[in-house]
Amino acid sequence: EQIQADEVEEELRAKERRRFDPEKARLEALKKIPVVDSLGRAYATGKRKTSVARVWVTEGTGNMIVNKKMMVDYFPRLELREEIYRPLQVTGKPLNYDIWCTVKGGGTTGQAGAIKLGVARALQAFDPEYRTKFKSEKLLTRDERQVERKKPG
């Protein structure tokens, strides 16, 4: 009888730990939002496949520089440029921010995806309302897919 009471009590404690606390969830979400530094820049990292992008966003006139080149020169394919601009279009103010980023690894598709994620994460620092817009457009979700390794046989 004592064993059953202990099991019930343990089960109640486990349910209490699993209970959703919206305030706690909100505070956890706020920790993920980057901050604007003293120079007016917001920094974020984006990853896709084997590419890693370090992205800085400032308020400006819509310039985008990737690895010290203009984005048009770095990404000649229109589809990739549109993918990178997607977070800016969702904000409704695509020409209000300048973006400077360095990206390493992978091919152009992975690099474009990494930059897109980094831009979306960094833009949250300028207006927390962007977070809900980006979430609904699935712009803050990291695509975890990797190329599967070759296996013998």
Side-chain angles (χ1 to χ4, degrees):
E1 196 172 300
Q2 179 64 27
I3 295 172
Q4 286 181 337
D6 289 343
E7 287 174 1
V8 168
E9 198 172 300
E10 182 62 35
E11 185 67 30
L12 286 173
R13 274 193 236 118
K15 280 186 180 179
E16 187 66 33
R17 282 192 300 263
R18 288 190 300 253
R19 184 173 292 150
F20 178 73
D21 183 10
E23 184 61 25
K24 188 176 178 182
R26 190 180 71 77
L27 291 174
E28 285 295 319
L30 286 176
K31 286 180 190 175
K32 294 179 182 179
I33 295 176
V35 294
V36 177
D37 66 8
S38 61
L39 299 174
R41 303 173 301 190
Y43 170 79
T45 303
K47 295 182 180 181
R48 170 84 166 90
K49 293 186 178 182
T50 58
S51 303
V52 179
R54 300 178 338 157
V55 179
W56 290 268
V57 177
T58 61
E59 291 184 341
T61 58
N63 293 330
M64 185 173 282
I65 297 172
V66 180
N67 290 348
K68 299 181 183 176
K69 293 182 182 178
M70 294 302 291
M71 185 184 67
V72 178
D73 299 329
Y74 195 85
F75 292 108
R77 285 180 45 204
L78 180 64
E79 302 87 32
L80 298 179
R81 292 194 302 248
E82 287 174 349
E83 181 181 356
I84 293 169
Y85 267 115
R86 186 79 187 109
L88 294 166
Q89 291 169 340
V90 170
T91 65
K93 306 176 204 170
L95 298 178
N96 285 12
Y97 300 101
D98 287 343
I99 296 164
W100 180 80
C101 64
T102 59
V103 63
K104 292 191 279 192
T108 55
T109 305
Q111 288 182 350
I115 294 170
K116 177 181 78 169
L117 179 60
V119 168
R121 286 178 174 173
L123 280 172
Q124 297 176 85
F126 292 99
D127 187 357
E129 294 298 315
Y130 291 161
R131 185 171 176 82
T132 54
K133 292 178 183 178
F134 292 156
K135 281 279 203 184
S136 65
E137 296 284 330
K138 296 192 175 31
L139 292 174
L140 295 175
T141 305
R142 187 210 190 289
D143 191 347
E144 291 285 341
R145 294 179 296 169
Q146 296 283 334
V147 176
E148 192 172 342
R149 72 175 185 90
K150 296 260 191 228
K151 298 175 196 69

